[in-house]
Amino acid sequence: MSIKQLQSHVDSITPFKTYGKVTQVVGLMIESKGPQASVGDLCTILVGKKKPRRIFVEVVGFRDQKVLLMPYDRVDEISPGSLVETTHKPLQISVGSSMIGSVVDGLGRPFDDKITQGAYQSISTDNHPPNPMDRPRISEPMSLGVKAIDGLFSVGKGQRLGIFAGSGVGKSTLMAMIAKNSDADLNVIALIGERGREVRDFVERDLGEEGLKNTIVVVATSDQPALMRIKGAMTATAIAEFFRDQGMNVTLMMDSVTRVAMAQREIGLAIGEPPTTKGYTPSVFALLPRLLERSGMNKVGSITAFYTVLVDGDDMNEPIADSVRGILDGHLVLDRKLANKGHFPAINVLKSISRVMNDIASQEHKGLADYMRSLLSTYADSEDLITIGAYKKGTNKEIDEAIVKYPEIMRFLKQELEEEYTFQETIHEMSLKFSKGGN
């Protein structure tokens, strides 16, 4: 360590500690008198008489000279007068290549002993998005190994997409397919607000040992406090940013951003924010762009991100879905009708879009994709007539062509979890089957 670094380190050390005392606990909100701290600072509360331990909390606001704190853990042992100590800095996590292949919690701590000793670096979980003028343009496609996406909604390195769906229509399966089949250097998967039972199901059944090899899974289950769920999303994004800054192409998948918004709503209501649309507080709509804009390209690497959005009753215009759709670079809508027919991935082609496909796909590829969408649209417009037998063959050439091609298109879009296709194989298959005038 140089003399300047040593001097800087010494200057940052305070010669004394300041403490506060807990005065009130209401639900998950903790009020304390002191210490001197800023919003976002990490604090600890000393609890337990026989076996003293520390509970991590974070400063989320102030009220009448009182400090408002939210816990990362349960608050059972907190009592009036419990000592509160501030660290004078926000939460930081330790990140290193040894984390790859492991499952960690919302603070980056491993659930098991798989993480080996190695070089770690402390990083903040709440970072600024890249400078918009320093972001390179998205110009290179990323192969995801999912024919429906690579073929009709080509994704570029550094693009951010939403996966909009109700419950039980195959979001987790689609994420597992992308994690196993994409050509990304690393996958970071955040499971936010999931049921505890589903975490192991996803890791062992959907992802599997092969998929976990180049993946870091961050888990914050539904039973954990609201702040822990938000920190799970922040931690996963910070881990992806760390490896992006190493020059890697990272895929970040978050399931789901809706539960992050719900967690922020809990915190906002607890500290006295006024509820707005459907009870969501203003801080929710401030958090979403701050979180989602952190992914994407920078000068050395990329984060290609997929954020799942739960839509109540398949309502695409509910507040969170509407807000997220306006921030991201495209969206994939999963259709319950397709899922009920056993068609997976259940992507509704006519309701989905990739906003950067025109910049990364060849003219031939775009022509094939437009032709397939046109056939599906024509078939959908006339489906009622076709189903009841009211359409007479030969009445309309476009409808005749759509009827012939529709089964082939649906077979192309359907894919099993174990199937894998490269980007070029997908385009080649499209060219063979759906070139105009082809068989």
Side-chain angles (χ1 to χ4, degrees), residues 189-397:
I189 301 177
L191 302 179
I192 310 299
E194 283 283 1
R195 293 179 286 273
R197 174 188 63 80
E198 293 186 336
V199 173
R200 190 161 186 176
D201 282 351
F202 175 78
V203 172
E204 295 185 0
R205 182 193 63 200
D206 296 334
L207 198 58
E209 188 177 341
E210 191 64 30
L212 190 61
K213 279 184 181 178
N214 68 327
T215 300
I216 299 171
V217 182
V218 181
V219 176
T221 50
S222 59
D223 61 292
Q224 294 181 306
L227 188 61
M228 194 65 159
R229 281 173 268 151
I230 292 174
K231 287 303 171 186
M234 294 289 190
T235 293
T237 307
I239 291 171
E241 289 171 329
F242 173 82
F243 287 102
R244 174 181 65 184
D245 292 342
Q246 311 301 312
M248 297 174 72
N249 294 313
V250 182
T251 298
L252 170 65
M253 287 171 274
M254 189 176 295
D255 183 18
S256 71
V257 73
T258 305
R259 295 193 183 108
V260 176
M262 288 177 175
Q264 182 61 39
R265 177 173 64 180
E266 284 182 45
I267 293 175
L269 292 173
I271 64 176
E273 279 191 79
T276 55
T277 313
K278 283 199 174 181
Y280 287 103
T281 57
S283 61
V284 173
F285 301 101
L287 173 70
L288 288 175
R290 187 157 59 92
L291 175 65
L292 304 183
E293 284 288 350
R294 287 169 60 181
S295 54
M297 298 277 285
N298 72 359
K299 291 181 178 179
V300 294
S302 69
I303 300 175
T304 307
F306 297 87
Y307 300 96
T308 70
V309 181
L310 293 169
V311 284
D312 295 329
D314 297 332
D315 176 17
M316 291 295 294
N317 295 315
E318 64 98 25
I320 300 304
D322 201 41
S323 178
V324 170
R325 191 166 55 239
I327 298 169
L328 300 179
D329 308 318
H331 54 270
L332 304 172
V333 178
L334 302 189
D335 194 319
R336 192 174 298 279
K337 289 182 180 178
L338 290 173
N340 290 341
K341 294 176 183 177
H343 180 110
F344 293 100
I347 298 172
N348 187 318
V349 172
L350 300 179
K351 291 183 179 179
S352 305
I353 190 171
S354 170
R355 290 178 180 161
V356 302
M357 182 172 177
N358 287 338
D359 297 329
I360 60 175
S362 66
Q363 289 297 325
E364 180 193 5
H365 182 186
K366 285 187 287 186
L368 290 167
D370 289 343
Y371 176 57
M372 292 171 69
R373 272 193 291 267
S374 174
L375 291 173
L376 288 173
S377 177
T378 301
Y379 187 90
D381 290 342
S382 308
E383 188 171 11
D384 291 341
L385 292 174
I386 296 167
T387 303
I388 65 174
Y391 176 74
K392 185 178 179 181
K393 186 178 179 181
T395 305
N396 185 301
K397 288 184 178 180

Side-chain angles (χ1 to χ4, degrees), residues 125-136:
T125 59
D126 193 0
N127 301 310
H128 293 288
N131 186 322
M133 295 306 295
D134 289 339
R135 287 180 185 257

Side-chain angles (χ1 to χ4, degrees), residues 17-20 35 42-46 54 83-87:
K17 290 183 178 180
T18 58
Y19 293 91
L42 180 69
C43 298
T44 59
I45 299 178
L46 188 64
R54 293 181 181 273
L83 288 178
V84 182
E85 182 184 349
T86 178
T87 63

